[in-house]
Amino acid sequence: MNVSDLRALKDNLVIETDLCIVGSGPAGLSIAKEFVGTNVKVVILESGGKSEEPETQALYEIENIGAPRQLNQDVIRSRILGGSSHIWTGRVAPFDELDFKERSWVPYSGWSISRRSLDPYLVRGGENLGIGPHCYDERLWERFRVNRPASLNTSKVQPVFWQFSKHVTNHHEPMRFGQDFMPEGAPNIQLILHANVTHLNTNQAGTKLESVEVSTLEGKKACVKARAIVLACGGVENARLMLASNRIVPHGVGNQNDLVGRFLMDHPGCVLGSFDPDSAQEVRNRFGHYWLDDAKGRHVYLHGIALSHKLQEKEQLLNCAAYLETVTSEDDAWNTLKDLKTRLKEGKISLKSYQTALNVLTRSPEIGHGLYRRYMKHRPTINKAEKVELFCHVEQRPDPDSRVMLSDKVDRLGMPISKLNWKISEQERQSVRRLAHLICDEFDRLGLPKPTLSAWLDQKEGWESNFSDRAHPTGTTRMSDDPTQGVVDSNCQVHGVEGLFIAGSSVFPTAGYANPTLMIVGMSLRLADWLKFNYLPRAQRAIKLEQSVV
């Protein structure tokens, strides 16, 4: 992959290519990687550089007029090579089949593609993310090499699992998409840093995308012309860029039906309750982390509990799942041991080192139990906890009035910043409240300690502030084969705008409860295949030539 910096190129440069990808995060780079070794020329435009820059991050400023947002956009999203994968925790899971179905109790629900049709792409996406087998149900118990615990009452709740991404070389970190994600020797791929797209240029009728305007913060300009252009900027920025591209089409590119920016969703997170740390050992043992070892190494899973699909339909609830969040105590024995190991490795032997060693020796039973779990039970250690909470993610009821709009305020590039009117409905509260009470009932049946539930769950007013956004903006360029119901079709091409495609969670019609990165990467690979085999004939010719040589 060739890397250049727009600041070092000549002003008003015109670049012609086959495929232009706006954004170098998991979606953008996953698509680009699929064209390595083809005859297709690919240009990737990245707003940031190879490290964080406050001036560039400031372009993420938003104006919020909706539900309180706990997380600032310039903190939870990253304008940098690799995008927001630089700050994510690596947790992934696929959406449920239920999430793809049209549900009478969830307005605007239903995808124009099936969940099952995505399985091959989710398997390929898992390879990009460094995760284990494409399995997220109770078949995992045998693979974990642990005794299967007592079954849940699956008519009411069901077990769920998440995996954690890991980097190719550093398994203690999730995959950080960036330059090392792309294979060496890809002369057809060009990455341009500090290239901020400021306008999408269509023909006069607004029916064909012809080029994108690009600028540095210092004002150096460029224009990129491409046969196909993919926006992979995230759930807020994809919509913002389309709405702000209004010089030729006053209402914004692809917004002929006033749908761009609408149906803004997230995964509202909330604390359902808490446990006494001293008596939560059995709960943490069952609903904690598990290991799966295979030829590709060790994979980490987290076990949780969700509303059953039957109960959701019966009681008209939204999809939601809960898991344990633990704050480790400062005097945890394993943390103390890690600190001692680091000090010895760095040669920093001091009085504190001896004190640390003494502390470890006095905590030998905890160390012994941890070793037993690791090497005999094939489970991670259970650290000493300061706080143990039952945390929940819930899908959102799609709402056209929950939306991204343009503010009157502009950023340093002269573009209007995003105005967010994020809405949370009563259906979300009712769903998580029902899950909380069912978990208490189920733990009582299983003989597990029950959480003390949060008081706000029963409040009729003022409960919204107990939900927090999870940096998963979704739905603002939703998919539907009906142009009056969605912005993109089932191939992620913008309705009525030839050559413009969208990747990322902004195309999801519903949000499920699962962290979205696996779905984002899988859907991006699906789009890459469609472009490769249906839209860019140069790629197809190159593939056929390669196959004939083989």
Side-chain angles (χ1 to χ4, degrees):
M1 182 171 68
N2 301 311
V3 182
S4 56
D5 193 315
L6 186 59
R7 298 175 302 184
L9 302 179
K10 67 178 184 179
D11 200 10
N12 295 314
L13 182 67
V14 177
I15 302 170
E16 295 191 10
T17 188
D18 297 312
L19 173 62
C20 175
I21 300 171
V22 183
S24 71
L29 288 190
S30 290
I31 293 173
K33 190 174 183 179
E34 293 299 303
F35 288 90
V36 171
T38 71
N39 289 334
V40 174
K41 293 189 295 183
V42 180
V43 170
I44 308 166
L45 301 175
E46 169 53 49
S47 170
K50 295 181 180 180
S51 58
E52 291 189 0
E53 301 159 353
E55 299 84 0
T56 303
Q57 280 294 105
L59 298 175
Y60 269 139
E61 182 184 0
I62 65 169
E63 177 186 346
N64 182 44
I65 62 171
R69 296 183 67 83
Q70 311 261 343
L71 305 172
N72 292 327
Q73 182 83 350
D74 60 351
V75 173
I76 60 176
R77 313 297 298 172
S78 293
R79 286 180 178 257
I80 185 177
L81 175 59
S84 298
S85 70
H86 282 273
I87 56 174
W88 76 315
T89 62
R91 185 184 301 176
V92 299
F95 285 7
D96 293 338
E97 287 191 20
L98 179 73
D99 297 323
F100 284 72
K101 294 180 179 179
E102 183 177 349
R103 292 166 280 169
S104 61
W105 65 98
V106 182
Y108 303 99
S109 59
W111 291 49
S112 55
I113 60 176
S114 70
R115 162 66 175 76
R116 187 165 298 180
S117 70
L118 284 179
D119 276 340
Y121 301 104
L122 296 176
V123 172
R124 287 165 54 185
E127 295 174 0
N128 283 3
L129 294 165
I131 60 176
H134 183 58
C135 181
Y136 296 86
D137 56 36
E138 291 196 287
R139 291 174 295 172
L140 285 168
W141 293 125
E142 184 176 350
R143 298 194 182 201
F144 291 153
R145 294 189 294 170
V146 300
N147 293 327
R148 181 177 179 140
S151 297
L152 298 172
N153 182 352
T154 54
S155 66
K156 296 181 178 180
V157 294
Q158 62 188 43
V160 293
F161 295 89
W162 292 263
Q163 289 199 58
F164 287 85
S165 165
K166 64 176 184 291
H167 196 275
V168 177
T169 56
N170 181 5
H171 292 181
H172 298 291
E173 287 284 330
M175 176 61 70
R176 309 295 186 193
F177 286 73
Q179 189 169 351
D180 59 351
F181 173 76
M182 299 292 290
E184 295 182 3
N188 64 312
I189 312 292
Q190 182 182 8
L191 168 68
I192 305 177
L193 301 173
H194 298 106
N196 300 282
V197 175
T198 56
H199 202 272
L200 308 175
N201 297 326
T202 66
N203 59 6
Q204 284 301 121
T207 57
K208 182 178 181 180
L209 189 61
E210 297 182 337
S211 65
V212 297
E213 296 178 10
V214 187
S215 176
T216 67
L217 288 177
E218 297 75 21
K220 182 174 285 188
K221 308 289 185 183
C223 176
V224 179
K225 298 180 178 180
R227 177 173 168 78
I229 297 172
V230 177
L231 303 186
C233 315
V236 173
E237 291 296 300
N238 282 345
R240 176 199 181 199
L241 181 54
M242 294 173 72
L243 292 171
S245 298
N246 54 17
R247 288 204 310 266
I248 300 172
V249 185
H251 46 262
V253 171
N255 196 31
Q256 58 271 23
N257 292 308
D258 190 27
L259 291 174
V260 174
R262 293 188 182 274
F263 298 98
L264 172 64
M265 296 172 283
D266 205 295
H267 287 133
C270 61
V271 177
L272 299 181
S274 60
F275 296 87
D276 177 0
D278 294 331
S279 59
Q281 187 89 349
E282 193 174 353
V283 173
R284 293 176 66 197
N285 180 55
R286 171 156 181 171
F287 294 96
H289 291 88
Y290 292 82
W291 285 340
L292 187 157
D293 295 316
D294 63 14
K296 296 181 180 179
R298 172 162 289 170
H299 308 288
V300 180
Y301 289 74
L302 174 66
H303 181 23
I305 187 168
L307 285 177
S308 75
H309 295 174
K310 291 180 180 179
L311 190 78
Q312 289 179 52
E313 181 175 6
K314 179 181 178 181
E315 300 187 12
Q316 301 194 339
L317 301 172
L318 297 169
N319 209 356
C320 55
Y323 55 92
L324 297 183
E325 278 203 346
T326 302
V327 176
T328 303
S329 176
E330 289 186 2
D331 66 342
D332 171 68
W334 278 96
N335 281 352
T336 303
L337 187 62
K338 287 179 183 178
D339 180 66
L340 175 60
K341 182 179 178 181
T342 300
R343 289 178 179 276
L344 291 173
K345 189 175 181 179
E346 295 175 352
K348 297 180 178 179
I349 307 300
S350 63
L351 177 60
K352 186 173 182 179
S353 299
Y354 289 113
Q355 292 172 335
T356 299
L358 182 61
N359 190 18
V360 169
L361 290 173
T362 61
R363 308 290 290 283
S364 57
E366 291 181 36
I367 299 295
H369 182 259
L371 291 171
Y372 174 75
R373 281 182 60 84
R374 281 176 177 265
Y375 297 107
M376 300 300 293
K377 292 293 187 180
H378 308 287
R379 296 286 304 280
T381 58
I382 296 182
N383 299 88
K384 183 179 179 181
E386 179 179 317
K387 182 167 61 174
V388 181
E389 293 181 328
L390 185 64
F391 201 84
C392 181
H393 282 184
V394 59
E395 75 165 315
Q396 286 203 257
R397 176 188 178 97
D399 181 355
D401 292 328
S402 181
R403 62 190 299 196
V404 175
M405 300 172 286
L406 298 180
S407 171
D408 293 331
K409 184 177 180 179
V410 299
D411 63 17
R412 182 170 166 178
L413 295 168
M415 291 184 64
I417 68 171
S418 299
K419 180 192 291 187
L420 270 58
N421 187 15
W422 180 48
K423 293 180 177 292
I424 305 174
S425 79
E426 171 68 13
Q427 197 172 11
E428 278 94 283
R429 184 187 73 88
Q430 291 288 357
S431 299
V432 301
R433 179 180 181 276
R434 185 67 169 122
L435 177 60
H437 285 285
L438 285 173
I439 288 175
C440 285
D441 292 344
E442 193 67 2
F443 281 16
D444 190 44
R445 183 182 71 84
L446 295 172
L448 296 172
K450 296 189 296 184
T452 300
L453 296 186
S454 301
W456 68 267
L457 289 168
D458 293 320
Q459 294 175 359
K460 298 295 184 181
E461 296 180 356
W463 51 265
E464 293 90 347
S465 62
N466 293 281
F467 282 103
S468 62
D469 49 301
R470 307 306 294 169
H472 302 159
T474 300
T476 56
T477 62
R478 69 197 321 258
M479 176 190 292
S480 174
D481 283 333
D482 181 352
T484 66
Q485 298 295 315
V487 176
V488 302
D489 64 18
S490 57
N491 296 316
C492 294
Q493 179 163 353
V494 174
H495 284 295
V497 186
E498 182 184 346
L500 179 58
F501 300 82
I502 301 180
S505 59
S506 67
V507 306
F508 298 174
T510 53
Y513 66 77
N515 302 58
T517 305
L518 176 59
M519 293 293 300
I520 289 171
V521 173
M523 287 285 288
S524 297
L525 295 175
R526 179 178 179 273
L527 171 57
D529 275 7
W530 196 87
L531 290 169
K532 189 185 298 182
F533 295 109
N534 297 280
Y535 199 82
L536 296 169
R538 286 166 59 91
Q540 194 168 1
R541 286 200 302 271
I543 291 165
K544 287 181 178 178
L545 178 62
E546 180 181 308
Q547 290 173 343
S548 66
V549 171
V550 173

